[in-house]
Amino acid sequence: MSDVKWTRDQLRAICTGGSSVLVSAAAGSGKTAVLVERLLRRITEEGRDVTEFLIITYTKAAATELRRKIYEALSKYATLHPGDKHIRRQIALVGSARISTVHSFCTWLLRNFSDNPALASGFRVLDENEAQLILEEELSELIEEKYDAGEDGFLALSAYLSGSRNDKALFGAVLELYRKSMSHPYPEKWLRKVADAYDVSNIEGIESTMWGEYAFTAAKQALCNCIEILDLMIDDVEKIAEASEVYAEVLCDERDMFRRADSDTWDGLLDAVCKIEFPRLPSSRKIENKSIPERIRAMHDRVKAECGEITEKFLTAPSDELLAELSSLYPHMCELSSLVGELAFRFGREKLRRGVLDYSDLEHYAIELLVDEYDAERDVVVPSDTAREVSKNFCEILLDE
């Protein structure tokens, strides 16, 4: 173990066992050192082998650096305990320890445990530039075929996104949605969920949609922020008699106005916010310290700006107008999601023909290999037999982001 003087929180991260541990701290605060110390203690105190740990980093350079730090920590310990044969063995094992990026780990899994016939003949991992070229080629062919087919849904989507100009917006929308879908464990399910979110036929208020719920909550938080700023202003002026005489009453009235601006419905809250009127601040001639009025005006401007953003960013229109807009976009989103699904299929087929995979393939094939069932609503994962077999190799997973 090192002679570093650890903080209480660092020691908790080093010593806590029997559960998952999340360490969140600023860059350069010692997260990697904590990980190395945790590993060292389990090796020295519990007799574990370094090869029993799965250690994941996010770049190859970071993996190399982490392996070096683990080697140095073990070597330092061995110098202090020259008779410890177990530690000398660990130093020899560091080179074969499973320390890698998440994609290298996925590659190892697929090469050693997958019985997927599509991967049976082996594969090469594409670099990002090559993957992008193949993806764009497949999309160009897909779009051309869609124009030749002349289906109403596609032509309507193209007209909505690009008009009579060019297909740049259409290409951009398909690629953006494709990339976002690939960041989810089950892209097809996510695409269906995205499209279905625009089906508002059974929705009574916009606040019941995923976007409306977010915007409604954000608007209420903005109102709370305004009240908090007014509270600070009132606290400030009440400490100084001449400032209290000038500002206290008008600021208290304004705060009360914000407190009354509340509703459990979208339209009710929008109406309440639109009725907010800001009074002119009283003259500050009676106040000798001119920095006080300047501070009050600056904070008052913050309140007005925060209040203005509620209707500019969040409650941008009445509920029925927004629901009508979502409803009009529903067929376009269904078509766009369908296009992305077709692109994913064609891109995947072409990659398998070439015997190559991209990084998202590594992730998704690994999920397919390790997960038998996933209940998204309850966030419950049923591991596969392969996952149980692989897990026998490791006593702990350590991620160094």
Side-chain angles (χ1 to χ4, degrees):
M1 290 176 288
S2 71
D3 53 2
V4 175
K5 188 174 181 180
W6 303 102
T7 68
R8 186 178 56 132
D9 286 340
Q10 286 175 326
L11 281 173
R12 285 176 61 202
I14 290 167
C15 301
T16 298
S19 66
S20 297
V21 178
L22 172 65
V23 178
S24 178
S29 58
K31 295 188 294 296
T32 300
V34 164
L35 182 151
V36 172
E37 181 68 14
R38 180 182 175 89
L39 176 68
L40 183 62
R41 292 195 184 197
R42 294 208 64 184
I43 290 172
T44 58
E45 295 174 4
E46 300 176 22
R48 294 286 187 179
D49 284 344
V50 69
T51 51
E52 293 181 66
F53 296 85
L54 173 58
I55 306 169
I56 300 295
T57 66
Y58 284 82
T59 67
K60 291 181 179 179
T64 300
E65 178 66 10
L66 185 54
R67 192 183 300 274
R68 181 187 66 79
K69 289 180 177 180
I70 292 170
Y71 177 85
E72 289 178 352
L74 289 168
S75 298
K76 183 176 180 180
Y77 187 91
T79 301
L80 298 173
H81 304 82
D84 195 324
K85 295 181 181 179
H86 175 64
I87 291 301
R88 289 206 303 274
R89 181 169 179 271
Q90 300 315 302
I91 293 172
L93 288 174
V94 168
S96 57
R98 184 59 55 192
I99 305 169
S100 69
T101 65
V102 66
H103 293 119
S104 294
F105 174 66
C106 290
T107 301
W108 173 77
L109 277 176
L110 298 178
R111 293 195 191 284
N112 289 278
F113 296 95
S114 177
D115 56 4
N116 188 324
L119 307 178
S121 58
F123 58 88
R124 174 175 65 85
V125 180
L126 286 169
D127 65 49
E128 292 183 2
N129 291 332
E130 188 180 359
Q132 184 66 21
L133 286 173
I134 300 173
L135 178 63
E136 290 179 0
E137 286 173 6
E138 290 298 321
L139 178 56
S140 294
E141 291 180 11
L142 174 61
I143 296 298
E144 186 175 346
E145 290 175 14
K146 287 292 182 180
Y147 274 120
D148 290 341
E151 296 175 357
D152 291 342
F154 172 77
L155 294 177
L157 174 65
S158 174
Y160 176 77
L161 288 175
S162 302
S164 59
R165 299 187 299 274
N166 54 53
D167 291 325
K168 185 176 180 180
L170 176 60
F171 272 70
V174 174
L175 289 173
E176 182 180 1
L177 191 59
Y178 171 80
R179 292 190 186 98
K180 287 182 177 178
S181 71
M182 288 299 113
S183 69
H184 292 264
Y186 300 98
E188 292 178 3
K189 291 181 180 179
W190 182 81
L191 282 170
R192 287 196 296 271
K193 183 178 179 181
V194 167
D196 289 345
Y198 286 78
D199 180 7
V200 294
S201 55
N202 296 317
I203 300 292
E204 292 186 2
I206 189 70
E207 62 271 26
S208 299
T209 67
M210 68 168 72
W211 300 282
E213 182 181 2
Y214 168 80
F216 191 70
T217 301
K220 287 210 163 194
Q221 182 59 54
L223 283 172
C224 290
N225 294 344
C226 290
I227 293 171
E228 289 177 3
I229 297 171
L230 287 164
D231 283 338
L232 290 172
M233 294 167 70
I234 292 167
D235 286 344
D236 278 356
V237 301
E238 287 183 343
K239 294 173 183 175
I240 304 167
E242 56 183 357
S244 179
E245 183 181 342
V246 172
Y247 294 119
E249 182 177 353
V250 69
L251 292 178
C252 286
D253 288 345
E254 193 169 317
R255 179 179 60 184
D256 291 342
M257 175 178 62
F258 271 93
R259 286 174 174 170
R260 291 192 298 269
D262 192 20
S263 176
D264 292 330
T265 67
W266 182 280
D267 287 339
L269 191 61
L270 175 59
D271 182 63
V273 172
C274 288
K275 288 179 179 177
I276 292 175
E277 294 182 355
F278 289 92
R280 185 188 179 107
L281 289 176
S283 170
S284 60
R285 284 178 294 180
K286 294 182 180 180
I287 303 175
E288 292 183 9
N289 185 347
K290 297 307 177 185
S291 66
I292 296 173
E294 289 175 4
R295 173 175 163 79
I296 293 300
R297 280 195 296 271
M299 295 179 75
H300 198 243
D301 287 343
R302 279 179 58 197
V303 174
K304 289 193 284 187
E306 186 96 23
C307 184
E309 287 187 352
I310 294 175
T311 52
E312 291 172 7
K313 291 185 177 180
F314 308 124
L315 310 179
T316 56
S319 176
D320 58 350
E321 289 184 21
L322 295 171
L323 286 174
E325 184 178 350
L326 284 177
S327 181
S328 70
L329 291 173
Y330 179 47
H332 295 321
M333 279 307 303
C334 289
E335 184 66 28
L336 182 59
S337 296
S338 176
L339 270 176
V340 171
E342 289 186 62
L343 174 62
F345 172 78
R346 295 170 69 122
F347 185 35
R349 182 180 61 190
E350 178 61 19
K351 285 181 289 186
L352 290 179
R353 187 187 71 79
R354 299 185 185 206
V356 296
L357 299 178
D358 64 13
Y359 289 127
S360 67
D361 291 326
L362 296 175
E363 297 164 5
H364 290 114
Y365 278 123
I367 290 171
E368 183 182 291
L369 179 66
L370 298 176
V371 177
D372 265 352
E373 185 182 338
Y374 175 57
D375 185 336
E377 298 224 347
R378 294 187 298 149
D379 195 26
V380 174
V381 174
V382 178
S384 66
D385 291 340
T386 300
R388 292 188 177 92
E389 186 63 31
V390 172
S391 69
K392 292 177 183 177
N393 295 299
F394 307 108
C395 66
E396 186 167 284
I397 301 172
L398 300 165
L399 278 77
D400 186 30
E401 184 176 357

